Amino acid sequence: MKTYGIVAHPVAHSLSPPMQNAGFEAKEIHAEFIRFDVPPEELKSFTQKVRKEKIAGLAVSLPHKENVIQYLDEITETAKKIGAVNTLYWKGEKLCGDNTDAPGFFESISPLLKGGRGDFKTPKIKAALIGAGGAGRAMAYALKENNINVTVFNRTEKKAKALAEEFGIQSEKIENFSAKDFDIVANSTSVGLKEDKSPVSKESWGEFSGIAFDAVFDPLITTFLQHAKKAGAEIITGETMLLFQGVRQFETWTGEKAPIEAMREGLEKALKK
Ligand code: ATR
């Protein structure tokens, strides 16, 4: 039986195991997906264990997404540009890293882009990205790669400016954010996680018929999404990004088409617990 897993610290509440195990079960793949709780000072020896025991594939989460890169043989172009890895996989004897957060995010919003917003391969679509941390980098990369015009807003303006310069996008003061200027508004900050707060004011939504996305998925309908919905937005919850980044991982690891609905069910069941 092959062993896969997620490495993080803490890892107890990770939703990857129920999601990936549901995928293995649906495809009748003889594999297990387990949790590895590894503190930062043990990451190096953990990667040695991965090599020795030939652990078949790993999801990587906080706080290891950047630090793990130094222990790998190769990383993809996407991971290089984002500067973070969320997936380890084998290419022959080489232990490699990829970042599926970016495509996972884009896949979660693209059905709405295609359905309601016309041809998303044009630079006419405007996105506001709230936050300039790790998740923000992946989301900025995904939007820019898909020719969307991106403006980043962040509490610390300096960080927004730095990200904008690096990725060739715009930045603005968060006080100046107004949803009406955009087709998509995406929150990449952790504001709203288990709290009744939003990184942008209720008033800044005005009337808004675009798409609102929140990377936070606990609660599923965050204060940010509640305000957006009231303003008229179509909302997408963070669970969708989690699903699609996992779908990509599954396909990288197994070489098979992922059973998306089974994985969604596994994820939703665990979310309700
Ligand atoms: P992650 O890797 O999860 O994205 P991070 O790199 O620490 O975490 O980034 C957190 C993001 O959330 C940052 O954009 C941060 O803004 P600052 O750059 O100003 O710190 C944002 N953030 C966190 N707490 C916030 C708060 N209370 N209000 C506004 N933004 C906040």
Side-chain angles (χ1 to χ4, degrees), residues 64-167:
H64 303 311
K65 288 185 176 189
E66 284 137 35
N67 282 337
V68 76
I69 294 175
Q70 61 188 308
Y71 306 121
L72 305 178
D73 300 316
E74 212 174 281
I75 65 171
T76 59
E77 226 17 66
T78 304
K80 218 175 276 174
K81 293 225 172 93
I82 298 167
V85 152
N86 80 326
T87 310
L88 304 191
Y89 64 100
W90 289 98
K91 202 158 88 183
E93 293 300 305
K94 284 185 179 165
L95 183 59
C96 302
D98 189 16
N99 188 310
T100 69
D101 287 328
F105 163 62
F106 199 73
E107 267 167 61
S108 70
I109 62 168
S110 60
L112 285 189
L113 293 179
K114 282 179 196 156
R117 308 237 130 225
D119 176 13
F120 67 82
K121 291 284 178 206
T122 73
K124 285 180 206 139
I125 292 183
K126 287 179 153 184
L129 175 66
I130 316 298
R137 286 182 70 85
M139 287 159 67
Y141 175 81
L143 291 165
K144 172 80 187 198
E145 271 293 291
N146 287 281
N147 295 321
I148 289 175
N149 184 305
V150 190
T151 304
V152 57
F153 297 84
N154 193 47
R155 175 180 62 180
T156 310
E157 204 190 345
K158 206 168 73 191
K159 262 169 79 181
K161 276 192 175 151
L163 182 65
E165 204 161 295
E166 187 182 342
F167 283 9

Side-chain angles (χ1 to χ4, degrees), residues 62 65-66 130-137 153-157 159-160 174 187-191 195 197-200:
L62 301 182
K65 288 185 176 189
E66 284 137 35
I130 316 298
R137 286 182 70 85
F153 297 84
N154 193 47
R155 175 180 62 180
T156 310
E157 204 190 345
K159 262 169 79 181
I174 198 152
N187 175 36
S188 74
T189 76
S190 50
V191 181
E195 61 179 5
K197 276 196 204 155
S198 167
V200 295

Side-chain angles (χ1 to χ4, degrees), residues 109-266:
I109 62 168
S110 60
L112 285 189
L113 293 179
K114 282 179 196 156
R117 308 237 130 225
D119 176 13
F120 67 82
K121 291 284 178 206
T122 73
K124 285 180 206 139
I125 292 183
K126 287 179 153 184
L129 175 66
I130 316 298
R137 286 182 70 85
M139 287 159 67
Y141 175 81
L143 291 165
K144 172 80 187 198
E145 271 293 291
N146 287 281
N147 295 321
I148 289 175
N149 184 305
V150 190
T151 304
V152 57
F153 297 84
N154 193 47
R155 175 180 62 180
T156 310
E157 204 190 345
K158 206 168 73 191
K159 262 169 79 181
K161 276 192 175 151
L163 182 65
E165 204 161 295
E166 187 182 342
F167 283 9
I169 59 181
Q170 287 94 256
S171 70
E172 263 288 347
K173 281 190 190 330
I174 198 152
E175 300 79 45
N176 296 343
F177 168 74
S178 175
K180 69 171 181 335
D181 302 333
F182 300 97
D183 304 294
I184 305 167
V185 180
N187 175 36
S188 74
T189 76
S190 50
V191 181
L193 174 65
K194 295 193 168 103
E195 61 179 5
D196 176 16
K197 276 196 204 155
S198 167
V200 295
S201 71
K202 191 175 180 187
E203 296 68 41
S204 61
W205 289 98
E207 271 183 37
F208 179 67
S209 59
I211 299 164
F213 169 86
D214 200 336
V216 173
F217 52 81
D218 183 14
L220 266 188
I221 311 292
T222 55
T223 307
F224 173 88
L225 290 180
Q226 280 174 27
H227 293 166
K229 199 170 169 82
K230 266 203 189 119
E234 292 198 66
I235 63 168
I236 304 171
T237 60
E239 171 209 356
T240 328
M241 176 169 168
L242 195 62
L243 173 67
F244 284 111
Q245 62 81 31
V247 160
R248 288 269 178 143
Q249 293 178 322
F250 185 98
E251 294 182 345
T252 299
W253 294 327
T254 65
E256 293 193 35
K257 191 132 186 47
I260 298 180
E261 285 320 309
M263 291 175 73
R264 191 195 301 274
E265 263 175 47

